[in-house]
Amino acid sequence: MESKNKESDNKNDSKKKTGKVKMSQNAAEGLRELFIDSLKDIYWAEKALTKALPKMAKNATNSDLISTIEEHIEVTQKQVTRLEDVFANLGERASASKCEAMEGLIKEGESILEETEPGPVRDAGIIAASQKIEHYEIATYGTLVAFASTLGEDEVADLLIETLEEEKEADVALTENAYNSINFDAADLDK
Ligand code: FE
Ligand code: ZN
Ligand code: FE
Ligand code: FE
């Protein structure tokens, strides 16, 4: 631990003293750039979800859960297109930059699949992983709406609010799936 972190310790010297992180060369300048960078991040995330969600649906057993996820796959594809509209509206090229957080959340979901047999316990795990994903998206779009409003981009704010509402709906549907039998079935297996 000591020698391995020597280099990063040196790099973080200024951070240690002041608690402040110095801006790297490519760091966003100004709120608009931060906004655009955040849009690229969620654009990557939504595209990654169009690939990850079908795997979740395929591995779920409960039919209500499968329809919730399948419905959200369609919604997610529309959200990708909506983000392209947002970029166009802002006069920016739609480009994706890797969202480390979403990559991690998707990996966590995949590891649940590896650790469980098909059935109610796996379904409960799929719901848990999916809700973490939806909550990350709710947090992200909430922030993006605020940025858009602050920047006076009202049309863009309205588009992002549509997506925010869809993510909230998905979260509610997943909660309903959890309480309509899946978690109870999963608990019954333990008896
Ligand atoms: Fe989404
Ligand atoms: Zn991210
Ligand atoms: Fe994050
Ligand atoms: Fe979502």
Side-chain angles (χ1 to χ4, degrees):
M1 193 181 160
E2 307 80 52
S3 61
K4 224 201 305 180
N5 288 336
K6 226 175 194 172
E7 203 184 317
S8 62
D9 279 353
N10 289 339
K11 247 192 259 170
N12 291 330
D13 261 1
S14 61
K15 187 173 158 186
K16 258 200 238 159
K17 280 176 203 143
T18 65
K20 279 187 188 170
V21 179
K22 275 193 188 164
M23 198 174 82
S24 77
Q25 275 185 327
N26 301 323
E29 286 175 42
L31 187 63
R32 191 184 158 91
E33 272 181 64
L34 180 60
F35 179 50
I36 303 296
D37 284 349
S38 306
L39 286 168
K40 290 177 182 174
D41 179 280
I42 196 68
Y43 186 50
W44 186 97
E46 295 287 12
K47 291 214 279 191
L49 286 170
T50 61
K51 289 170 203 153
L53 291 175
K55 193 174 172 188
M56 291 291 177
K58 245 178 247 164
N59 283 283
T61 303
N62 181 278
S63 59
D64 290 336
L65 176 58
I66 294 170
S67 12
T68 296
I69 300 170
E70 280 176 348
E71 227 173 90
H72 201 57
I73 293 168
E74 277 179 46
V75 169
T76 301
Q77 282 157 351
K78 281 187 201 138
Q79 293 173 345
V80 170
T81 310
R82 191 177 291 132
L83 281 171
E84 286 160 2
D85 295 343
V86 164
F87 283 114
N89 195 302
L90 294 166
E92 299 280 339
R93 193 174 62 88
S95 70
S97 80
K98 187 169 167 188
C99 174
E100 307 282 353
M102 188 58 79
E103 186 184 51
L105 289 169
I106 290 170
K107 272 189 195 155
E108 211 175 279
E110 282 169 353
S111 70
I112 287 169
L113 298 181
E114 282 158 23
E115 288 157 13
T116 54
E117 301 276 329
V121 174
R122 176 179 281 180
D123 284 359
I126 289 174
I127 291 173
S130 303
Q131 286 196 291
K132 288 181 189 181
I133 288 169
E134 295 314 318
H135 281 231
Y136 178 77
E137 294 187 286
I138 290 166
T140 301
Y141 283 104
T143 299
L144 289 171
V145 168
F147 284 174
S149 304
T150 303
L151 293 166
E153 298 286 356
D154 294 337
E155 272 178 48
V156 166
D158 287 343
L159 289 169
L160 295 169
I161 285 169
E162 280 180 52
T163 301
L164 176 60
E165 292 310 315
E166 289 167 354
E167 308 298 17
K168 288 181 184 171
E169 279 166 27
D171 181 48
V172 169
L174 287 164
T175 300
E176 279 168 6
N177 290 152
Y179 284 105
N180 294 340
S181 87
I182 292 175
N183 283 359
F184 300 105
D185 290 348
D188 275 345
L189 292 180
D190 290 337
K191 282 175 194 160

mmCIF file of all heavy atoms in Angstrom, residues 42 46 49 72 75-76 79 134 137 141 163 167, ligand 1:
data_model
loop_
_atom_site.group_PDB
_atom_site.id
_atom_site.type_symbol
_atom_site.label_atom_id
_atom_site.label_comp_id
_atom_site.label_asym_id
_atom_site.label_seq_id
_atom_site.Cartn_x
_atom_site.Cartn_y
_atom_site.Cartn_z
ATOM 1 N N ILE A 42 -24.351 11.153 -20.141
ATOM 2 C CA ILE A 42 -25.635 10.427 -20.050
ATOM 3 C C ILE A 42 -26.017 9.850 -21.413
ATOM 4 O O ILE A 42 -26.696 8.815 -21.487
ATOM 5 C CB ILE A 42 -26.761 11.322 -19.449
ATOM 6 C CG1 ILE A 42 -27.961 10.468 -18.982
ATOM 7 C CG2 ILE A 42 -27.219 12.398 -20.414
ATOM 8 C CD1 ILE A 42 -27.703 9.576 -17.789
ATOM 9 N N GLU A 46 -27.148 6.075 -21.674
ATOM 10 C CA GLU A 46 -28.416 5.613 -22.255
ATOM 11 C C GLU A 46 -28.152 4.589 -23.360
ATOM 12 O O GLU A 46 -28.866 3.589 -23.473
ATOM 13 C CB GLU A 46 -29.228 6.794 -22.819
ATOM 14 C CG GLU A 46 -29.711 7.809 -21.781
ATOM 15 C CD GLU A 46 -30.857 7.293 -20.911
ATOM 16 O OE1 GLU A 46 -31.154 6.089 -20.928
ATOM 17 O OE2 GLU A 46 -31.450 8.121 -20.200
ATOM 18 N N LEU A 49 -27.319 1.360 -21.877
ATOM 19 C CA LEU A 49 -28.505 0.707 -21.315
ATOM 20 C C LEU A 49 -29.349 0.023 -22.381
ATOM 21 O O LEU A 49 -29.962 -1.012 -22.108
ATOM 22 C CB LEU A 49 -29.354 1.732 -20.536
ATOM 23 C CG LEU A 49 -28.760 2.145 -19.187
ATOM 24 C CD1 LEU A 49 -29.533 3.323 -18.604
ATOM 25 C CD2 LEU A 49 -28.746 0.971 -18.210
ATOM 26 N N HIS A 72 -39.291 -0.357 -20.674
ATOM 27 C CA HIS A 72 -38.265 0.663 -20.445
ATOM 28 C C HIS A 72 -37.154 0.611 -21.501
ATOM 29 O O HIS A 72 -36.461 1.605 -21.703
ATOM 30 C CB HIS A 72 -37.697 0.557 -19.028
ATOM 31 C CG HIS A 72 -37.044 1.832 -18.574
ATOM 32 N ND1 HIS A 72 -37.708 3.044 -18.542
ATOM 33 C CD2 HIS A 72 -35.776 2.106 -18.185
ATOM 34 C CE1 HIS A 72 -36.876 3.982 -18.136
ATOM 35 N NE2 HIS A 72 -35.687 3.444 -17.925
ATOM 36 N N VAL A 75 -38.556 2.899 -24.083
ATOM 37 C CA VAL A 75 -38.450 4.272 -23.571
ATOM 38 C C VAL A 75 -36.999 4.751 -23.672
ATOM 39 O O VAL A 75 -36.729 5.891 -24.073
ATOM 40 C CB VAL A 75 -38.969 4.327 -22.106
ATOM 41 C CG1 VAL A 75 -38.626 5.645 -21.448
ATOM 42 C CG2 VAL A 75 -40.473 4.096 -22.073
ATOM 43 N N THR A 76 -36.073 3.872 -23.324
ATOM 44 C CA THR A 76 -34.649 4.234 -23.340
ATOM 45 C C THR A 76 -34.172 4.555 -24.754
ATOM 46 O O THR A 76 -33.394 5.489 -24.967
ATOM 47 C CB THR A 76 -33.815 3.094 -22.716
ATOM 48 O OG1 THR A 76 -34.263 2.882 -21.370
ATOM 49 C CG2 THR A 76 -32.320 3.430 -22.692
ATOM 50 N N GLN A 79 -35.196 7.890 -25.455
ATOM 51 C CA GLN A 79 -34.380 8.853 -24.707
ATOM 52 C C GLN A 79 -33.059 9.138 -25.425
ATOM 53 O O GLN A 79 -32.552 10.262 -25.366
ATOM 54 C CB GLN A 79 -34.127 8.332 -23.289
ATOM 55 C CG GLN A 79 -35.407 8.279 -22.458
ATOM 56 C CD GLN A 79 -35.211 7.609 -21.111
ATOM 57 O OE1 GLN A 79 -34.198 6.926 -20.878
ATOM 58 N NE2 GLN A 79 -36.173 7.789 -20.223
ATOM 59 N N GLU A 134 -31.894 3.501 -12.299
ATOM 60 C CA GLU A 134 -32.916 4.550 -12.456
ATOM 61 C C GLU A 134 -32.630 5.728 -11.528
ATOM 62 O O GLU A 134 -32.805 6.880 -11.912
ATOM 63 C CB GLU A 134 -34.325 3.991 -12.222
ATOM 64 C CG GLU A 134 -34.771 2.949 -13.245
ATOM 65 C CD GLU A 134 -34.505 3.326 -14.695
ATOM 66 O OE1 GLU A 134 -34.725 4.497 -15.062
ATOM 67 O OE2 GLU A 134 -34.044 2.457 -15.451
ATOM 68 N N GLU A 137 -30.017 7.855 -12.972
ATOM 69 C CA GLU A 137 -30.557 8.651 -14.073
ATOM 70 C C GLU A 137 -31.426 9.797 -13.554
ATOM 71 O O GLU A 137 -31.377 10.907 -14.085
ATOM 72 C CB GLU A 137 -31.389 7.760 -15.008
ATOM 73 C CG GLU A 137 -30.560 6.720 -15.732
ATOM 74 C CD GLU A 137 -31.397 5.981 -16.777
ATOM 75 O OE1 GLU A 137 -32.235 5.151 -16.376
ATOM 76 O OE2 GLU A 137 -31.213 6.253 -17.965
ATOM 77 N N TYR A 141 -30.619 13.563 -14.587
ATOM 78 C CA TYR A 141 -31.546 14.422 -15.335
ATOM 79 C C TYR A 141 -32.043 15.587 -14.484
ATOM 80 O O TYR A 141 -32.296 16.671 -15.004
ATOM 81 C CB TYR A 141 -32.706 13.609 -15.930
ATOM 82 C CG TYR A 141 -32.292 12.844 -17.166
ATOM 83 C CD1 TYR A 141 -32.066 11.477 -17.124
ATOM 84 C CD2 TYR A 141 -32.086 13.518 -18.371
ATOM 85 C CE1 TYR A 141 -31.663 10.783 -18.259
ATOM 86 C CE2 TYR A 141 -31.681 12.833 -19.507
ATOM 87 C CZ TYR A 141 -31.475 11.466 -19.451
ATOM 88 O OH TYR A 141 -31.065 10.795 -20.570
ATOM 89 N N THR A 163 -37.746 13.169 -20.039
ATOM 90 C CA THR A 163 -36.948 11.979 -19.702
ATOM 91 C C THR A 163 -36.929 11.759 -18.188
ATOM 92 O O THR A 163 -37.093 10.627 -17.720
ATOM 93 C CB THR A 163 -35.512 12.123 -20.241
ATOM 94 O OG1 THR A 163 -35.575 12.286 -21.654
ATOM 95 C CG2 THR A 163 -34.680 10.901 -19.911
ATOM 96 N N GLU A 167 -37.978 8.309 -16.177
ATOM 97 C CA GLU A 167 -37.099 7.557 -15.259
ATOM 98 C C GLU A 167 -37.808 7.350 -13.919
ATOM 99 O O GLU A 167 -37.709 6.286 -13.303
ATOM 100 C CB GLU A 167 -35.767 8.286 -15.035
ATOM 101 C CG GLU A 167 -35.017 8.704 -16.285
ATOM 102 C CD GLU A 167 -34.565 7.568 -17.199
ATOM 103 O OE1 GLU A 167 -35.076 6.436 -17.091
ATOM 104 O OE2 GLU A 167 -33.697 7.832 -18.054
HETATM 105 FE FE FE B 1 -32.765 6.515 -19.364
#
